[in-house]
Amino acid sequence: SDGVPITDPLTGKSTLTQFFLGVLPFSSYTFGEFVLDQKLSTFIGVQERMFAFFGGVMPYVVVDNLKSGVHRADLYDPDVNPTYCDFANHMGFAVLPARPSKARDKGAAESNIGVVQRGFFQEVRNRTFYSLSELNGAFRVYLEQLNHAVMKDYGVSRAERFEEEKKALSP
């Protein structure tokens, strides 16, 4: 999704960032990072950092129909970017493109985008960030709080549920 703007301290020019979110489905354990673009190299790099954050690779990844991951979205026969497919084969996961206009295919991510937008985006709405690293540093603090906060529906935190889900990750 669109992210939070960063401001160049010399010119005052504001640049809107892009927000990448990765969520594990059982625990809702969340990873996120702000980036400047949606290019293939950025997309793959942020996924590598996501796998490092989770401490492993899940058997499959449901991706939104971002051009870096999916060249042509189709209900029955999507065309996955060949370089991204090679990355997936190297890392050991299957790419499952979400069906166009089917938000339920990526329900965990959609709900957690809302959580982050209502939480972090609102928390920093009056702050000015001057670099991507400053923005991501503030987000990491929020993410730590989010993953360790007790979820109302379950009575435990995402981090506690993640301990069980971690067993399903491959190294």
Side-chain angles (χ1 to χ4, degrees):
S1 77
D2 285 342
V4 174
I6 55 174
T7 303
D8 185 318
L10 299 175
T11 64
K13 181 184 174 213
S14 183
T15 304
L16 185 62
T17 60
Q18 298 293 309
F19 181 63
F20 173 89
L21 180 83
V23 181
L24 293 175
F26 171 71
S27 63
S28 291
Y29 198 67
T30 305
F31 168 82
E33 187 174 304
F34 292 92
V35 294
L36 293 175
D37 58 52
Q38 296 182 1
K39 293 179 182 170
L40 180 61
S41 58
T42 304
F43 184 59
I44 288 174
V46 78
Q47 285 200 357
E48 286 179 321
R49 291 187 291 281
M50 177 186 71
F51 295 139
F53 178 81
F54 290 146
V57 178
M58 50 291 304
Y60 62 90
V61 173
V62 176
V63 294
D64 204 351
N65 290 307
L66 176 70
K67 287 285 185 201
S68 298
V70 180
H71 270 303
R72 186 180 53 83
D74 186 78
L75 189 59
Y76 302 106
D77 189 24
D79 184 20
V80 176
N81 182 318
T83 305
Y84 183 58
C85 193
D86 289 343
F87 170 72
N89 289 335
H90 173 73
M91 295 298 283
F93 68 91
V95 177
L96 300 177
R99 295 172 295 171
S101 304
K102 300 289 183 187
R104 290 176 48 187
D105 286 0
K106 52 191 186 319
E110 291 291 338
S111 68
N112 273 26
I113 280 283
V115 168
V116 170
Q117 287 176 334
R118 286 186 305 273
F120 181 73
F121 283 46
Q122 292 303 311
E123 187 179 300
V124 301
R125 69 182 178 275
N126 295 322
R127 275 182 72 182
T128 302
F129 293 97
Y130 295 103
S131 71
L132 203 54
S133 61
E134 179 187 4
L135 174 58
N136 280 318
F139 184 69
R140 277 188 222 97
V141 171
Y142 170 81
L143 199 57
E144 185 73 19
Q145 294 168 351
L146 175 69
N147 283 330
H148 287 88
V150 174
M151 295 186 293
K152 293 178 201 169
D153 293 347
Y154 301 105
V156 295
S157 70
R158 288 170 171 83
E160 290 172 286
R161 288 175 59 98
F162 174 64
E163 289 306 316
E164 188 64 33
E165 194 170 28
K166 190 186 263 189
K167 298 172 187 170
L169 301 179
S170 301

